[in-house]
């Protein structure tokens, strides 16, 4: 895995400074400690930091074609690069390396921007076409790899990380107040905006073409309208099982040691089991986070590790480690994300780096196989709403103002709103009534509609589909890419680890999207297909136990060890024009008393406070 940087002046008489490219690239040293490369040609510059995974000796970047007219810096893996390379060799292209980067270069020569349709992988790259004097900025279909950019009338800058863009000095770090409500509501900032004013994200499945005419954006892939499949259950099971096995197998391609994160849940356990099928009798390295306080999944992970005879490693995370790591979380994540599991992931990645450079995880399974219980709850609400007239439904939100508990206020709000207005992902915290309770009146009256606009846009793309299909699509475009995958990429790259996510192979995403919802949720059982597939692979107590994810006991910690840290942060927020002081006091008091669990909001405030300290 790597870090990429690019800069292009729209005035072709304005040269790029080499030191600018070098300085911006090298702040991403952790993304590529093995090698560095820089390229400057007039008004365009590219930089690259390399973490060597495939063809360790010949993969230096920036990489060019034979005559130097095409130059690329690339972050990611093309899992089918050998098949594409064979096709290109048959068309007369000559390769100097055996790495996937060169496949993109020759693919672009042969097919132009349509080459993207042939690649199966995770990637973000910047390709400079000297003959056409254009820069091509591309992000993979699902947004597994990040790509940020800044543009004004003079310059376009793009990079794997925000800090590289800031390093150039062309844009200063400043708070983007337009997205504050979005962050407080869901705990992250949905793309394309970021918390940094003026800096945006290339959306998943999108690319930008930068030339003297300006910047044009194109969407090259989406799965909103994948044609429905008529497959029955048995046929679907056979197809998805074979496809999932191939997705895992393809992600084992590497010239360095490979391992897996193992929480003991269904998703990571299935990945480990499929890895074992592919590489047995070679043992898989597996890595688990555990806690001395609160619930820990280590015993479930041990069951799976023993079943497949893995080389198993456990890391214990303590409350002091957790709080001390907030600074590290924000520094590497750059975007404020309310993901306690990100800290656990960072620490376990550092441990794993001693044994493996490439790790697989179960990220994305819930969004493609329908694993969250909230999907079923929201579907039930949709069914119940049909029995009430509109005027009665709207009164639910009025009733919520009389409820003392924020949790009940949220549920009553949900009943009052149609799906496209109430559903903002599994991380959603603030509903309209809660915002009235917590927000300062002026901020409430003038807040941006950015959050509602983004979710409304994605719901509009799947209008007419059943509720579950709509939620799966929207989550994949928002929560998955801008929270979970940010966490996954940034925390593993902070430890110079490449993370691969087989559940987000675009072929699997399309195949599952085409299947009816009753093959995803059946008889209150989410992930129905995956569980059926796993019955011959895993013990039933792993398959059918309650979902926990990558649990971090923040509720208990915020009731004890971390509450002292919250006081100063709350005092700071009382001086800001966003929250009512009495509402914040009440929130802390009820959490401390055990009356309600507000660890999510407390974490939201802590992370944002640390973000402002570092970046604002």
């Amino acid at each position: 895995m790597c870090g990429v940087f690019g800069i292009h002046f729209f005035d072709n008489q304005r040269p790029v400074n080499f030191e600018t490219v070098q300085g911006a690239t090298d702040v991403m040293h952790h993304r590529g400690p093995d090698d560095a490369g820089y390229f400057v040609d007039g008004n365009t510059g590219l930089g690259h930091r390399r973490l060597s995974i495939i063809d360790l000796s010949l993969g230096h970047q920036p990489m060019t074609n034979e005559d130097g007219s095409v130059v690329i810096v690339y972050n990611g893996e093309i899992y089918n690069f050998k098949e594409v390379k064979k096709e290109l060799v048959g068309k007369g292209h000559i390769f100097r390396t055996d790495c996937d980067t060169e496949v993109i270069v020759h693919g672009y020569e042969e097919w132009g921007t349509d080459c993207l349709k042939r690649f199966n992988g995770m990637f973000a790259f910047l390709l400079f076409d000297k003959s056409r004097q254009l820069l091509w900025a591309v992000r993979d279909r699902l947004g597994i790899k990040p790509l940020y950019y800044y543009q004004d009338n003079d310059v376009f800058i793009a990079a794997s990380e925000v800090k590289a863009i800031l390093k150039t000095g062309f844009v200063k770090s400043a708070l983007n107040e337009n997205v504050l409500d979005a962050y407080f509501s869901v705990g992250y900032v949905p793309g394309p905006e970021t918390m940094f004013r003026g800096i945006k994200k290339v959306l998943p499945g999108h690319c930008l073409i930068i030339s003297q005419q300006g910047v044009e954006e194109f969407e090259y892939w989406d799965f909103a309208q994948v044609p429905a499949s008529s497959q029955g259950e048995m046929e679907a099971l056979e197809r998805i099982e074979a496809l999932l096995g191939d997705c895992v197998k393809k992600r084992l391609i590497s010239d360095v040691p490979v391992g897996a994160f193992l929480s003991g849940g269904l998703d990571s356990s299935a990945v480990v089991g499929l890895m074992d099928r592919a590489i047995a009798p070679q043992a898989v390295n597996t890595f688990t986070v555990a806690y001395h306080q609160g619930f820990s999944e280590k015993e479930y992970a041990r069951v799976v590790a023993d079943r497949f005879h893995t080389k198993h490693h456990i890391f214990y995370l303590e409350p002091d480690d957790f709080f001390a790591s907030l600074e590290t979380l924000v520094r590497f994540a750059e975007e404020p994300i309310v993901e306690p599991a990100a800290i656990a992931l960072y620490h376990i990645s550092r441990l794993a780096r001693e044994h493996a450079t490439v790790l697989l995880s179960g990220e994305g399974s819930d969004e493609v196989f329908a694993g969250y219980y909230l999907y079923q709850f929201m579907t039930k609400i949709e069914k119940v709403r049909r029995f009430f007239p509109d005027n009665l439904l709207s009164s639910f939100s009025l009733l919520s103002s009389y409820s003392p508990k924020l949790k009940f206020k949220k549920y009553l709000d949900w009943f009052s709103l149609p799906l496209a207005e109430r559903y903002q992902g599994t991380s959603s915290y603030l509903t309209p009534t809660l915002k009235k309770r917590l927000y300062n009146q002026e901020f409430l009256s003038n807040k941006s509609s950015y959050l509602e606009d983004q979710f409304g846009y994605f719901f509009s793309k799947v209008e007419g589909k059943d509720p579950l299909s709509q939620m799966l699509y929207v989550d994949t475009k928002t929560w998955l890419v801008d929270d979970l995958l940010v966490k996954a990429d940034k925390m593993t790259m902070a430890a110079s680890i490449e993370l691969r996510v087989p559940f987000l192979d675009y072929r699997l995403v399309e195949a599952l999207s085409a299947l009816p919802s009753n093959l995803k949720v059946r008889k209150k059982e989410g992930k129905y297909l995956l569980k059926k597939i796993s019955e011959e692979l895993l013990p039933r107590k792993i398959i059918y136990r309650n979902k926990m994810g990558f649990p971090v006991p923040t509720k208990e910690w915020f009731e004890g060890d971390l509450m002292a840290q919250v006081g100063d942060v709350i005092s700071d927020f009382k001086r800001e024009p966003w929250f009512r002081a009495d509402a914040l006091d009440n929130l802390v008091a009820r959490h401390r008393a055990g009356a309600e669990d507000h660890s999510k909001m407390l974490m939201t405030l802590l992370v944002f406070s640390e973000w402002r300290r570092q970046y604002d």
Side-chain angles (χ1 to χ4, degrees), residues 7-162:
I7 182 169
H8 177 87
F9 289 121
F10 294 111
D11 179 357
N12 58 16
Q13 300 301 310
R14 184 176 178 181
V16 168
N17 184 286
F18 179 87
E19 286 71 25
T20 298
V21 175
Q22 185 178 44
T25 303
D26 287 352
V27 299
M28 300 183 290
H29 178 273
H30 54 281
R31 294 189 74 91
D34 297 328
D35 192 18
Y38 319 95
F39 165 88
V40 172
D41 183 85
N43 61 327
T44 301
L46 300 174
H48 186 261
R49 294 293 321 191
R50 186 184 186 205
L51 177 64
S52 301
I53 302 294
I54 294 175
D55 196 350
L56 306 185
S57 61
L58 295 176
H60 178 76
Q61 298 184 44
M63 185 175 286
T64 70
N65 61 347
E66 295 91 332
D67 63 7
S69 62
V70 176
V71 189
I72 190 173
V73 288
Y74 157 72
N75 168 30
E77 301 291 347
I78 306 293
Y79 301 117
N80 65 334
F81 79 95
K82 290 185 178 181
E83 296 93 317
V84 180
K85 178 180 178 180
K86 183 178 180 180
E87 184 178 0
L88 288 166
V89 169
K91 292 179 177 293
H93 291 269
I94 299 173
F95 284 75
R96 294 168 293 173
T97 74
D98 192 31
C99 67
D100 53 343
T101 309
E102 195 174 5
V103 168
I104 303 176
V105 172
H106 292 296
Y108 176 77
E109 286 184 301
E110 183 66 32
W111 301 299
T113 57
D114 280 347
C115 66
L116 294 175
K117 298 176 182 177
R118 299 172 182 265
F119 301 150
N120 179 0
M122 56 178 185
F123 47 82
F125 64 81
L126 300 167
L127 184 147
F128 179 50
D129 185 332
K130 292 177 68 174
S131 61
R132 298 174 63 193
Q133 284 296 295
L134 63 82
L135 183 66
W136 190 30
V138 181
R139 192 176 184 192
D140 66 66
R141 293 174 177 85
L142 276 302
I144 301 167
K145 294 292 101 186
L147 189 61
Y148 300 91
Y149 71 97
Y150 166 81
Q151 71 175 98
D152 59 25
N153 293 331
D154 300 317
V155 67
F156 174 90
I157 310 169
S160 298
E161 297 194 354
V162 172

